[in-house]
mmCIF file of all heavy atoms in Angstrom:
data_model
loop_
_atom_site.group_PDB
_atom_site.id
_atom_site.type_symbol
_atom_site.label_atom_id
_atom_site.label_comp_id
_atom_site.label_asym_id
_atom_site.label_seq_id
_atom_site.Cartn_x
_atom_site.Cartn_y
_atom_site.Cartn_z
ATOM 1 N N ASN A 3 68.553 -1.394 -35.183
ATOM 2 C CA ASN A 3 69.654 -1.795 -34.235
ATOM 3 C C ASN A 3 69.681 -3.238 -34.042
ATOM 4 O O ASN A 3 69.942 -3.833 -32.981
ATOM 5 C CB ASN A 3 69.522 -1.117 -32.925
ATOM 6 C CG ASN A 3 69.865 0.357 -32.951
ATOM 7 O OD1 ASN A 3 70.783 0.744 -33.740
ATOM 8 N ND2 ASN A 3 69.203 1.151 -32.155
ATOM 9 N N ALA A 4 69.385 -4.094 -35.125
ATOM 10 C CA ALA A 4 69.457 -5.489 -35.051
ATOM 11 C C ALA A 4 70.860 -5.951 -34.730
ATOM 12 O O ALA A 4 71.831 -5.457 -35.243
ATOM 13 C CB ALA A 4 69.031 -6.123 -36.385
ATOM 14 N N THR A 5 70.990 -6.970 -33.882
ATOM 15 C CA THR A 5 72.286 -7.501 -33.547
ATOM 16 C C THR A 5 72.546 -8.756 -34.407
ATOM 17 O O THR A 5 73.630 -9.223 -34.436
ATOM 18 C CB THR A 5 72.441 -7.914 -32.039
ATOM 19 O OG1 THR A 5 71.436 -8.866 -31.734
ATOM 20 C CG2 THR A 5 72.145 -6.608 -31.222
ATOM 21 N N ALA A 6 71.464 -9.299 -35.021
ATOM 22 C CA ALA A 6 71.617 -10.492 -35.914
ATOM 23 C C ALA A 6 70.711 -10.274 -37.072
ATOM 24 O O ALA A 6 69.641 -9.724 -36.955
ATOM 25 C CB ALA A 6 71.368 -11.800 -35.200
ATOM 26 N N TRP A 7 71.170 -10.802 -38.274
ATOM 27 C CA TRP A 7 70.348 -10.665 -39.469
ATOM 28 C C TRP A 7 70.447 -11.986 -40.336
ATOM 29 O O TRP A 7 71.435 -12.382 -40.634
ATOM 30 C CB TRP A 7 70.752 -9.438 -40.266
ATOM 31 C CG TRP A 7 69.635 -8.981 -41.196
ATOM 32 C CD1 TRP A 7 68.847 -7.950 -40.950
ATOM 33 C CD2 TRP A 7 69.287 -9.549 -42.494
ATOM 34 N NE1 TRP A 7 67.893 -7.814 -42.049
ATOM 35 C CE2 TRP A 7 68.149 -8.758 -42.911
ATOM 36 C CE3 TRP A 7 69.702 -10.637 -43.263
ATOM 37 C CZ2 TRP A 7 67.458 -9.082 -44.162
ATOM 38 C CZ3 TRP A 7 69.108 -10.810 -44.423
ATOM 39 C CH2 TRP A 7 67.974 -10.156 -44.911
ATOM 40 N N GLN A 8 69.236 -12.519 -40.522
ATOM 41 C CA GLN A 8 69.205 -13.875 -41.259
ATOM 42 C C GLN A 8 68.262 -13.912 -42.406
ATOM 43 O O GLN A 8 67.128 -13.511 -42.213
ATOM 44 C CB GLN A 8 68.840 -14.906 -40.195
ATOM 45 C CG GLN A 8 69.952 -15.088 -39.051
ATOM 46 C CD GLN A 8 69.394 -15.545 -37.713
ATOM 47 O OE1 GLN A 8 68.297 -16.025 -37.596
ATOM 48 N NE2 GLN A 8 70.195 -15.275 -36.621
ATOM 49 N N PHE A 9 68.792 -14.269 -43.494
ATOM 50 C CA PHE A 9 67.900 -14.541 -44.666
ATOM 51 C C PHE A 9 67.109 -15.782 -44.531
ATOM 52 O O PHE A 9 67.501 -16.688 -43.846
ATOM 53 C CB PHE A 9 68.882 -14.566 -45.934
ATOM 54 C CG PHE A 9 68.014 -14.424 -47.268
ATOM 55 C CD1 PHE A 9 67.647 -13.161 -47.711
ATOM 56 C CD2 PHE A 9 67.815 -15.529 -48.059
ATOM 57 C CE1 PHE A 9 66.969 -12.987 -48.867
ATOM 58 C CE2 PHE A 9 67.106 -15.439 -49.291
ATOM 59 C CZ PHE A 9 66.702 -14.132 -49.683
ATOM 60 N N TRP A 10 66.008 -15.875 -45.304
ATOM 61 C CA TRP A 10 65.219 -17.120 -45.249
ATOM 62 C C TRP A 10 65.887 -18.276 -45.889
ATOM 63 O O TRP A 10 66.885 -18.766 -45.410
ATOM 64 C CB TRP A 10 63.822 -16.860 -45.700
ATOM 65 C CG TRP A 10 62.904 -18.044 -45.990
ATOM 66 C CD1 TRP A 10 62.125 -18.294 -47.108
ATOM 67 C CD2 TRP A 10 62.750 -19.184 -45.066
ATOM 68 N NE1 TRP A 10 61.466 -19.574 -46.880
ATOM 69 C CE2 TRP A 10 61.849 -20.107 -45.713
ATOM 70 C CE3 TRP A 10 63.278 -19.525 -43.870
ATOM 71 C CZ2 TRP A 10 61.475 -21.315 -45.155
ATOM 72 C CZ3 TRP A 10 62.892 -20.678 -43.174
ATOM 73 C CH2 TRP A 10 62.020 -21.589 -43.886
ATOM 74 N N ASN A 11 65.442 -18.654 -47.057
ATOM 75 C CA ASN A 11 66.064 -19.838 -47.714
ATOM 76 C C ASN A 11 67.314 -19.479 -48.516
ATOM 77 O O ASN A 11 67.166 -18.668 -49.512
ATOM 78 C CB ASN A 11 64.989 -20.553 -48.601
ATOM 79 C CG ASN A 11 64.600 -21.901 -48.016
ATOM 80 O OD1 ASN A 11 65.044 -22.218 -46.886
ATOM 81 N ND2 ASN A 11 63.773 -22.591 -48.657
ATOM 82 N N ALA A 12 68.392 -20.073 -48.251
ATOM 83 C CA ALA A 12 69.560 -19.824 -49.033
ATOM 84 C C ALA A 12 69.483 -20.278 -50.486
ATOM 85 O O ALA A 12 70.017 -19.629 -51.273
ATOM 86 C CB ALA A 12 70.817 -20.518 -48.421
ATOM 87 N N TYR A 13 68.708 -21.285 -50.766
ATOM 88 C CA TYR A 13 68.415 -21.846 -52.140
ATOM 89 C C TYR A 13 67.025 -22.264 -52.332
ATOM 90 O O TYR A 13 66.426 -22.901 -51.405
ATOM 91 C CB TYR A 13 69.525 -22.942 -52.430
ATOM 92 C CG TYR A 13 69.857 -23.763 -51.238
ATOM 93 C CD1 TYR A 13 68.976 -24.718 -50.736
ATOM 94 C CD2 TYR A 13 71.034 -23.584 -50.491
ATOM 95 C CE1 TYR A 13 69.223 -25.512 -49.597
ATOM 96 C CE2 TYR A 13 71.362 -24.317 -49.404
ATOM 97 C CZ TYR A 13 70.418 -25.263 -48.915
ATOM 98 O OH TYR A 13 70.749 -25.981 -47.812
ATOM 99 N N GLU A 14 66.549 -21.972 -53.455
ATOM 100 C CA GLU A 14 65.216 -22.404 -53.887
ATOM 101 C C GLU A 14 65.203 -22.452 -55.400
ATOM 102 O O GLU A 14 65.985 -21.893 -56.079
ATOM 103 C CB GLU A 14 64.150 -21.443 -53.462
ATOM 104 C CG GLU A 14 63.806 -21.412 -52.011
ATOM 105 C CD GLU A 14 62.520 -20.638 -51.689
ATOM 106 O OE1 GLU A 14 61.812 -20.331 -52.604
ATOM 107 O OE2 GLU A 14 62.271 -20.407 -50.449
ATOM 108 N N PRO A 15 64.291 -23.226 -56.024
ATOM 109 C CA PRO A 15 64.105 -23.278 -57.394
ATOM 110 C C PRO A 15 63.795 -21.851 -57.995
ATOM 111 O O PRO A 15 62.971 -21.173 -57.403
ATOM 112 C CB PRO A 15 63.000 -24.253 -57.698
ATOM 113 C CG PRO A 15 62.958 -25.102 -56.398
ATOM 114 C CD PRO A 15 63.354 -24.173 -55.316
ATOM 115 N N GLY A 16 64.465 -21.404 -58.999
ATOM 116 C CA GLY A 16 64.088 -20.120 -59.552
ATOM 117 C C GLY A 16 65.115 -19.682 -60.637
ATOM 118 O O GLY A 16 66.035 -20.396 -61.000
ATOM 119 N N ASN A 17 64.863 -18.440 -61.071
ATOM 120 C CA ASN A 17 65.679 -17.827 -62.137
ATOM 121 C C ASN A 17 66.683 -16.919 -61.565
ATOM 122 O O ASN A 17 66.288 -16.036 -60.672
ATOM 123 C CB ASN A 17 64.778 -17.118 -63.063
ATOM 124 C CG ASN A 17 65.353 -16.691 -64.357
ATOM 125 O OD1 ASN A 17 66.443 -16.179 -64.437
ATOM 126 N ND2 ASN A 17 64.618 -16.835 -65.492
ATOM 127 N N ALA A 18 67.912 -16.921 -61.988
ATOM 128 C CA ALA A 18 68.914 -16.023 -61.472
ATOM 129 C C ALA A 18 69.036 -14.725 -62.209
ATOM 130 O O ALA A 18 69.852 -13.882 -61.924
ATOM 131 C CB ALA A 18 70.325 -16.724 -61.550
ATOM 132 N N LYS A 19 68.258 -14.554 -63.323
ATOM 133 C CA LYS A 19 68.367 -13.398 -64.196
ATOM 134 C C LYS A 19 67.203 -12.398 -63.958
ATOM 135 O O LYS A 19 67.326 -11.326 -64.483
ATOM 136 C CB LYS A 19 68.310 -13.864 -65.628
ATOM 137 C CG LYS A 19 69.530 -14.799 -66.002
ATOM 138 C CD LYS A 19 70.806 -14.120 -65.846
ATOM 139 C CE LYS A 19 72.004 -14.995 -66.296
ATOM 140 N NZ LYS A 19 73.276 -14.368 -66.067
ATOM 141 N N ARG A 20 66.239 -12.709 -63.201
ATOM 142 C CA ARG A 20 65.104 -11.755 -63.000
ATOM 143 C C ARG A 20 64.384 -12.116 -61.726
ATOM 144 O O ARG A 20 64.233 -13.318 -61.344
ATOM 145 C CB ARG A 20 64.219 -11.675 -64.225
ATOM 146 C CG ARG A 20 63.547 -13.022 -64.552
ATOM 147 C CD ARG A 20 62.706 -12.871 -65.868
ATOM 148 N NE ARG A 20 62.160 -14.152 -66.326
ATOM 149 C CZ ARG A 20 61.099 -14.793 -65.774
ATOM 150 N NH1 ARG A 20 60.386 -14.099 -64.806
ATOM 151 N NH2 ARG A 20 60.748 -15.898 -66.270
ATOM 152 N N ASN A 21 63.915 -11.128 -60.961
ATOM 153 C CA ASN A 21 63.066 -11.322 -59.849
ATOM 154 C C ASN A 21 63.572 -12.335 -58.937
ATOM 155 O O ASN A 21 62.784 -13.310 -58.420
ATOM 156 C CB ASN A 21 61.633 -11.702 -60.307
ATOM 157 C CG ASN A 21 60.934 -10.639 -61.219
ATOM 158 O OD1 ASN A 21 61.223 -9.511 -61.082
ATOM 159 N ND2 ASN A 21 60.084 -11.068 -62.068
ATOM 160 N N THR A 22 64.779 -12.139 -58.501
ATOM 161 C CA THR A 22 65.480 -13.069 -57.625
ATOM 162 C C THR A 22 65.149 -12.850 -56.185
ATOM 163 O O THR A 22 66.008 -12.649 -55.337
ATOM 164 C CB THR A 22 67.089 -13.005 -57.818
ATOM 165 O OG1 THR A 22 67.422 -11.693 -57.562
ATOM 166 C CG2 THR A 22 67.422 -13.404 -59.201
ATOM 167 N N ARG A 23 63.830 -12.837 -55.848
ATOM 168 C CA ARG A 23 63.361 -12.302 -54.596
ATOM 169 C C ARG A 23 63.415 -13.280 -53.445
ATOM 170 O O ARG A 23 63.420 -12.798 -52.242
ATOM 171 C CB ARG A 23 61.879 -11.810 -54.766
ATOM 172 C CG ARG A 23 60.951 -12.898 -55.297
ATOM 173 C CD ARG A 23 59.666 -12.284 -55.928
ATOM 174 N NE ARG A 23 58.840 -11.748 -54.954
ATOM 175 C CZ ARG A 23 57.607 -11.447 -55.156
ATOM 176 N NH1 ARG A 23 57.095 -11.561 -56.379
ATOM 177 N NH2 ARG A 23 56.840 -10.922 -54.136
ATOM 178 N N TYR A 24 63.512 -14.543 -53.721
ATOM 179 C CA TYR A 24 63.277 -15.573 -52.650
ATOM 180 C C TYR A 24 64.527 -16.296 -52.238
ATOM 181 O O TYR A 24 64.460 -17.042 -51.263
ATOM 182 C CB TYR A 24 62.259 -16.604 -53.073
ATOM 183 C CG TYR A 24 60.890 -16.084 -53.429
ATOM 184 C CD1 TYR A 24 60.295 -16.312 -54.649
ATOM 185 C CD2 TYR A 24 60.225 -15.327 -52.520
ATOM 186 C CE1 TYR A 24 58.997 -15.899 -54.886
ATOM 187 C CE2 TYR A 24 58.932 -14.837 -52.791
ATOM 188 C CZ TYR A 24 58.359 -15.142 -53.908
ATOM 189 O OH TYR A 24 57.138 -14.630 -54.333
ATOM 190 N N TYR A 25 65.694 -16.028 -52.879
ATOM 191 C CA TYR A 25 66.815 -16.944 -52.626
ATOM 192 C C TYR A 25 68.115 -16.235 -52.914
ATOM 193 O O TYR A 25 68.237 -15.182 -53.620
ATOM 194 C CB TYR A 25 66.672 -18.182 -53.659
ATOM 195 C CG TYR A 25 66.197 -17.906 -54.984
ATOM 196 C CD1 TYR A 25 67.038 -17.288 -55.900
ATOM 197 C CD2 TYR A 25 64.827 -18.062 -55.336
ATOM 198 C CE1 TYR A 25 66.513 -16.955 -57.237
ATOM 199 C CE2 TYR A 25 64.398 -17.701 -56.610
ATOM 200 C CZ TYR A 25 65.209 -17.219 -57.499
ATOM 201 O OH TYR A 25 64.694 -16.829 -58.762
ATOM 202 N N LEU A 26 69.207 -16.797 -52.413
ATOM 203 C CA LEU A 26 70.539 -16.381 -52.710
ATOM 204 C C LEU A 26 71.140 -17.182 -53.830
ATOM 205 O O LEU A 26 71.955 -16.563 -54.622
ATOM 206 C CB LEU A 26 71.448 -16.578 -51.412
ATOM 207 C CG LEU A 26 70.956 -15.987 -50.099
ATOM 208 C CD1 LEU A 26 71.814 -16.367 -48.883
ATOM 209 C CD2 LEU A 26 70.825 -14.456 -50.112
ATOM 210 N N ILE A 27 70.748 -18.349 -53.947
ATOM 211 C CA ILE A 27 71.240 -19.374 -54.943
ATOM 212 C C ILE A 27 69.960 -19.915 -55.665
ATOM 213 O O ILE A 27 69.044 -20.464 -54.978
ATOM 214 C CB ILE A 27 72.113 -20.462 -54.411
ATOM 215 C CG1 ILE A 27 73.385 -19.842 -53.798
ATOM 216 C CG2 ILE A 27 72.490 -21.435 -55.464
ATOM 217 C CD1 ILE A 27 74.295 -20.769 -53.038
ATOM 218 N N ALA A 28 69.945 -19.739 -56.950
ATOM 219 C CA ALA A 28 68.738 -20.210 -57.730
ATOM 220 C C ALA A 28 69.051 -21.707 -58.228
ATOM 221 O O ALA A 28 70.064 -21.938 -58.928
ATOM 222 C CB ALA A 28 68.531 -19.344 -58.946
ATOM 223 N N LEU A 29 68.096 -22.559 -57.835
ATOM 224 C CA LEU A 29 68.232 -23.928 -58.203
ATOM 225 C C LEU A 29 67.491 -24.173 -59.453
ATOM 226 O O LEU A 29 66.290 -23.620 -59.722
ATOM 227 C CB LEU A 29 67.658 -24.863 -57.111
ATOM 228 C CG LEU A 29 68.240 -24.748 -55.705
ATOM 229 C CD1 LEU A 29 67.572 -25.706 -54.826
ATOM 230 C CD2 LEU A 29 69.756 -25.004 -55.741
ATOM 231 N N GLN A 30 67.918 -24.979 -60.367
ATOM 232 C CA GLN A 30 67.291 -25.571 -61.549
ATOM 233 C C GLN A 30 67.276 -27.081 -61.532
ATOM 234 O O GLN A 30 68.067 -27.779 -62.174
ATOM 235 C CB GLN A 30 67.952 -25.015 -62.904
ATOM 236 C CG GLN A 30 67.944 -23.493 -63.125
ATOM 237 C CD GLN A 30 69.049 -22.806 -62.463
ATOM 238 O OE1 GLN A 30 70.186 -23.245 -62.537
ATOM 239 N NE2 GLN A 30 68.736 -21.631 -61.783
ATOM 240 N N PRO A 31 66.372 -27.565 -60.665
ATOM 241 C CA PRO A 31 66.439 -29.008 -60.354
ATOM 242 C C PRO A 31 65.789 -29.835 -61.490
ATOM 243 O O PRO A 31 64.881 -29.282 -62.261
ATOM 244 C CB PRO A 31 65.598 -29.085 -59.134
ATOM 245 C CG PRO A 31 64.675 -28.019 -59.135
ATOM 246 C CD PRO A 31 65.379 -26.817 -59.876
ATOM 247 N N LYS A 32 66.107 -31.033 -61.543
ATOM 248 C CA LYS A 32 65.345 -32.007 -62.416
ATOM 249 C C LYS A 32 63.977 -32.336 -61.760
ATOM 250 O O LYS A 32 63.865 -32.049 -60.554
ATOM 251 C CB LYS A 32 66.222 -33.280 -62.687
ATOM 252 C CG LYS A 32 67.469 -32.982 -63.466
ATOM 253 C CD LYS A 32 68.225 -34.277 -63.717
ATOM 254 C CE LYS A 32 69.487 -34.008 -64.631
ATOM 255 N NZ LYS A 32 70.255 -35.212 -64.929
ATOM 256 N N PRO A 33 63.064 -32.915 -62.446
ATOM 257 C CA PRO A 33 61.735 -33.085 -61.868
ATOM 258 C C PRO A 33 61.713 -33.799 -60.593
ATOM 259 O O PRO A 33 60.901 -33.554 -59.724
ATOM 260 C CB PRO A 33 61.021 -33.828 -63.022
ATOM 261 C CG PRO A 33 61.722 -33.386 -64.272
ATOM 262 C CD PRO A 33 63.163 -33.201 -63.883
ATOM 263 N N ASP A 34 62.623 -34.851 -60.457
ATOM 264 C CA ASP A 34 62.654 -35.636 -59.230
ATOM 265 C C ASP A 34 63.454 -34.950 -58.090
ATOM 266 O O ASP A 34 63.595 -35.441 -56.995
ATOM 267 C CB ASP A 34 63.034 -37.102 -59.458
ATOM 268 C CG ASP A 34 64.472 -37.095 -59.942
ATOM 269 O OD1 ASP A 34 65.123 -36.070 -60.091
ATOM 270 O OD2 ASP A 34 64.956 -38.295 -60.175
ATOM 271 N N PHE A 35 64.127 -33.794 -58.409
ATOM 272 C CA PHE A 35 64.939 -33.039 -57.505
ATOM 273 C C PHE A 35 66.137 -33.818 -57.040
ATOM 274 O O PHE A 35 66.851 -33.387 -56.026
ATOM 275 C CB PHE A 35 64.184 -32.564 -56.268
ATOM 276 C CG PHE A 35 63.355 -31.280 -56.407
ATOM 277 C CD1 PHE A 35 62.164 -31.245 -57.182
ATOM 278 C CD2 PHE A 35 63.877 -30.107 -55.982
ATOM 279 C CE1 PHE A 35 61.504 -30.116 -57.387
ATOM 280 C CE2 PHE A 35 63.204 -28.887 -56.203
ATOM 281 C CZ PHE A 35 61.991 -28.956 -56.815
ATOM 282 N N LYS A 36 66.572 -34.852 -57.674
ATOM 283 C CA LYS A 36 67.745 -35.656 -57.328
ATOM 284 C C LYS A 36 68.993 -35.225 -57.943
ATOM 285 O O LYS A 36 70.132 -35.744 -57.695
ATOM 286 C CB LYS A 36 67.434 -37.105 -57.457
ATOM 287 C CG LYS A 36 66.363 -37.644 -56.575
ATOM 288 C CD LYS A 36 66.207 -39.157 -56.680
ATOM 289 C CE LYS A 36 65.202 -39.683 -55.654
ATOM 290 N NZ LYS A 36 65.020 -41.149 -55.691
ATOM 291 N N ASP A 37 68.834 -34.229 -58.804
ATOM 292 C CA ASP A 37 70.071 -33.587 -59.386
ATOM 293 C C ASP A 37 69.586 -32.278 -60.042
ATOM 294 O O ASP A 37 68.409 -31.947 -59.992
ATOM 295 C CB ASP A 37 70.672 -34.531 -60.447
ATOM 296 C CG ASP A 37 72.071 -33.998 -60.863
ATOM 297 O OD1 ASP A 37 72.554 -33.037 -60.339
ATOM 298 O OD2 ASP A 37 72.722 -34.705 -61.659
ATOM 299 N N GLY A 38 70.459 -31.501 -60.594
ATOM 300 C CA GLY A 38 70.113 -30.245 -61.260
ATOM 301 C C GLY A 38 71.316 -29.294 -61.286
ATOM 302 O O GLY A 38 72.446 -29.732 -61.043
ATOM 303 N N GLU A 39 71.021 -28.087 -61.664
ATOM 304 C CA GLU A 39 72.099 -27.070 -61.708
ATOM 305 C C GLU A 39 71.757 -26.007 -60.765
ATOM 306 O O GLU A 39 70.622 -25.955 -60.232
ATOM 307 C CB GLU A 39 72.176 -26.531 -63.215
ATOM 308 C CG GLU A 39 72.493 -27.691 -64.149
ATOM 309 C CD GLU A 39 73.759 -28.382 -63.934
ATOM 310 O OE1 GLU A 39 74.738 -27.781 -63.399
ATOM 311 O OE2 GLU A 39 73.868 -29.574 -64.330
ATOM 312 N N PHE A 40 72.653 -25.051 -60.590
ATOM 313 C CA PHE A 40 72.378 -23.888 -59.761
ATOM 314 C C PHE A 40 73.141 -22.678 -60.269
ATOM 315 O O PHE A 40 74.176 -22.840 -60.888
ATOM 316 C CB PHE A 40 72.732 -24.203 -58.275
ATOM 317 C CG PHE A 40 74.166 -24.352 -58.010
ATOM 318 C CD1 PHE A 40 75.012 -23.301 -57.709
ATOM 319 C CD2 PHE A 40 74.758 -25.634 -58.140
ATOM 320 C CE1 PHE A 40 76.380 -23.533 -57.546
ATOM 321 C CE2 PHE A 40 76.082 -25.816 -57.870
ATOM 322 C CZ PHE A 40 76.930 -24.679 -57.602
ATOM 323 N N MET A 41 72.665 -21.498 -59.992
ATOM 324 C CA MET A 41 73.285 -20.283 -60.305
ATOM 325 C C MET A 41 73.221 -19.315 -59.096
ATOM 326 O O MET A 41 72.279 -19.236 -58.385
ATOM 327 C CB MET A 41 72.544 -19.579 -61.522
ATOM 328 C CG MET A 41 72.662 -20.382 -62.776
ATOM 329 S SD MET A 41 71.892 -19.407 -64.193
ATOM 330 C CE MET A 41 72.982 -18.087 -64.363
ATOM 331 N N VAL A 42 74.360 -18.635 -58.947
ATOM 332 C CA VAL A 42 74.462 -17.677 -57.880
ATOM 333 C C VAL A 42 73.827 -16.356 -58.346
ATOM 334 O O VAL A 42 73.878 -15.895 -59.473
ATOM 335 C CB VAL A 42 75.981 -17.357 -57.622
ATOM 336 C CG1 VAL A 42 76.180 -16.263 -56.579
ATOM 337 C CG2 VAL A 42 76.615 -18.606 -57.116
ATOM 338 N N THR A 43 73.080 -15.758 -57.372
ATOM 339 C CA THR A 43 72.454 -14.429 -57.682
ATOM 340 C C THR A 43 73.215 -13.256 -56.985
ATOM 341 O O THR A 43 74.076 -13.565 -56.170
ATOM 342 C CB THR A 43 71.037 -14.423 -57.171
ATOM 343 O OG1 THR A 43 71.001 -14.197 -55.771
ATOM 344 C CG2 THR A 43 70.272 -15.668 -57.518
ATOM 345 N N LYS A 44 72.901 -12.078 -57.374
ATOM 346 C CA LYS A 44 73.483 -10.860 -56.829
ATOM 347 C C LYS A 44 73.108 -10.801 -55.351
ATOM 348 O O LYS A 44 73.850 -10.180 -54.558
ATOM 349 C CB LYS A 44 73.027 -9.660 -57.591
ATOM 350 C CG LYS A 44 73.557 -9.591 -58.945
ATOM 351 C CD LYS A 44 74.994 -9.140 -59.026
ATOM 352 C CE LYS A 44 75.480 -8.967 -60.500
ATOM 353 N NZ LYS A 44 76.982 -8.553 -60.666
ATOM 354 N N ASN A 45 72.009 -11.410 -54.979
ATOM 355 C CA ASN A 45 71.507 -11.409 -53.558
ATOM 356 C C ASN A 45 72.539 -11.996 -52.657
ATOM 357 O O ASN A 45 72.787 -11.637 -51.418
ATOM 358 C CB ASN A 45 70.238 -12.173 -53.284
ATOM 359 C CG ASN A 45 69.089 -11.440 -54.032
ATOM 360 O OD1 ASN A 45 69.078 -10.262 -54.262
ATOM 361 N ND2 ASN A 45 67.971 -12.235 -54.235
ATOM 362 N N LEU A 46 73.227 -13.029 -53.051
ATOM 363 C CA LEU A 46 74.232 -13.739 -52.271
ATOM 364 C C LEU A 46 75.303 -12.803 -51.874
ATOM 365 O O LEU A 46 75.717 -12.709 -50.701
ATOM 366 C CB LEU A 46 74.850 -14.870 -53.036
ATOM 367 C CG LEU A 46 75.941 -15.700 -52.286
ATOM 368 C CD1 LEU A 46 75.352 -16.657 -51.288
ATOM 369 C CD2 LEU A 46 76.917 -16.319 -53.251
#
């Protein structure tokens, strides 16, 4: 009977094609994290 439901991190570095356990949006950042790409997962 929860009246509110909140996911943890909306986006984290990860793979959008398998084991998308930690995020709604999978980040593929560059090493310095100042740019990168992202992919939407089915979790979103």
Side-chain angles (χ1 to χ4, degrees):
N3 289 325
T5 61
W7 202 97
Q8 295 149 18
F9 193 78
W10 169 224
N11 248 4
Y13 31 78
E14 286 194 10
N17 191 316
K19 298 299 184 182
R20 57 184 174 84
N21 300 333
T22 57
R23 55 198 292 188
Y24 300 126
Y25 39 79
L26 308 176
I27 297 171
L29 304 177
Q30 294 86 44
K32 293 184 177 180
D34 63 1
F35 274 80
K36 293 187 176 180
D37 196 358
E39 304 300 329
F40 66 90
M41 292 184 68
V42 174
T43 75
K44 294 284 183 181
N45 291 340
L46 180 82

